[in-house]
Amino acid sequence: METYLFDMNDTIVDSSIYEKMHWELIRALAGHTGKEEAELRKLMSEIREGAGTEKTDSFDLSKNLNATELYYKILEKYARHEFALKTKSIPEIFRKIKSKGKKIGIVSSSQPRTIEIFLGRFGLMEYVDFIEAGKKDTVLFWVTLAKKHNIFPETAIVIDDSSAILAIAKRAGYNVLNAENIKDLEI
């Protein structure tokens, strides 16, 4: 393989960190906006219904309330104090990939700033060649990714915790590996 494409949440970072910070963020947003917590929960439901998703993330709520800086302040605090690597061997895997002259990309539906916070927290940024955030649940995302970053899908592998995302990437011509099998990753 020439290019290794890693998902962020539940592949590199344990996404339970978002649950841990959720109520502190809700309280901070209530104080910041003057809204009651119940109003914020209702707004989250409305955002979720409008987006047609099962789950609204707290970034979407913060963005809707023009409070993304507050969101990132709390996220950075939790990133500093929580050991949130999902796969403890990621730093070693990244070092090994780079020592062989291969490319590493982060492909995620998370915001680029969120990705950079975690990569910085765990000293991984120096190994990463590019970050691509977007809707990974479309073949178009994967085709565009290949063109934009000069990737040949047949020599690239996508490592993700979502079977649905892996199926789409595979349809676009990429090799795939479920994150739960990361110990089987051949470098």
Side-chain angles (χ1 to χ4, degrees):
M1 293 296 128
E2 294 299 316
T3 306
Y4 294 78
L5 302 168
F6 290 87
D7 171 49
M8 178 58 66
N9 292 331
D10 287 327
T11 299
I12 295 175
V13 175
D14 186 338
S15 66
S16 68
I17 193 168
Y18 302 114
E19 294 168 26
K20 292 175 184 174
M21 68 178 261
H22 180 78
W23 290 112
E24 181 176 342
L25 178 63
I26 292 295
R27 285 189 297 277
L29 287 170
H32 178 76
T33 63
K35 295 181 183 290
E36 297 290 324
E37 289 180 23
E39 287 179 81
L40 295 174
R41 285 192 297 276
K42 183 176 184 239
L43 180 57
M44 280 188 86
S45 294
E46 291 169 3
I47 294 169
R48 179 177 44 249
E49 289 169 13
T53 61
E54 291 180 26
K55 191 170 135 184
T56 302
D57 89 19
S58 50
F59 176 82
D60 293 333
L61 176 63
S62 301
K63 183 177 177 185
N64 186 280
L65 296 169
N66 295 316
T68 56
E69 287 308 312
L70 179 61
Y71 172 85
Y72 281 117
K73 179 180 175 186
I74 293 172
L75 178 63
E76 286 172 345
K77 174 184 145 186
Y78 276 79
R80 275 192 310 275
H81 298 292
E82 295 280 332
F83 189 80
L85 276 180
K86 181 72 172 187
T87 305
K88 309 288 188 258
S89 59
I90 283 288
E92 176 61 29
I93 290 169
F94 277 33
R95 278 192 291 277
K96 197 176 208 183
I97 291 169
K98 290 313 281 185
S99 74
K100 302 235 179 187
K102 311 297 182 177
K103 286 195 325 189
I104 296 175
I106 305 299
V107 290
S108 178
S109 56
S110 292
Q111 299 297 312
R113 185 171 170 187
T114 301
I115 296 166
E116 290 169 3
I117 287 169
F118 286 118
L119 292 176
R121 160 64 174 92
F122 296 109
L124 300 173
M125 195 61 151
E126 68 183 282
Y127 303 109
V128 174
D129 295 289
F130 62 88
I131 295 170
E132 195 65 42
K135 295 185 59 61
K136 301 184 306 177
D137 60 351
T138 66
V139 171
L140 179 61
F141 173 87
W142 298 101
V143 170
T144 304
L145 177 78
K147 288 179 182 173
K148 183 175 180 181
H149 296 285
N150 198 26
I151 298 169
F152 298 98
E154 62 276 4
T155 64
I157 186 164
V158 177
I159 302 99
D160 201 302
D161 66 305
S162 167
S163 297
I165 297 298
L166 291 173
I168 293 166
K170 189 170 188 166
R171 248 192 344 227
Y174 291 85
N175 297 286
V176 298
L177 179 70
N178 192 298
E180 68 187 25
N181 301 319
I182 201 161
K183 62 189 172 314
D184 301 333
L185 185 62
E186 293 181 21
I187 302 169

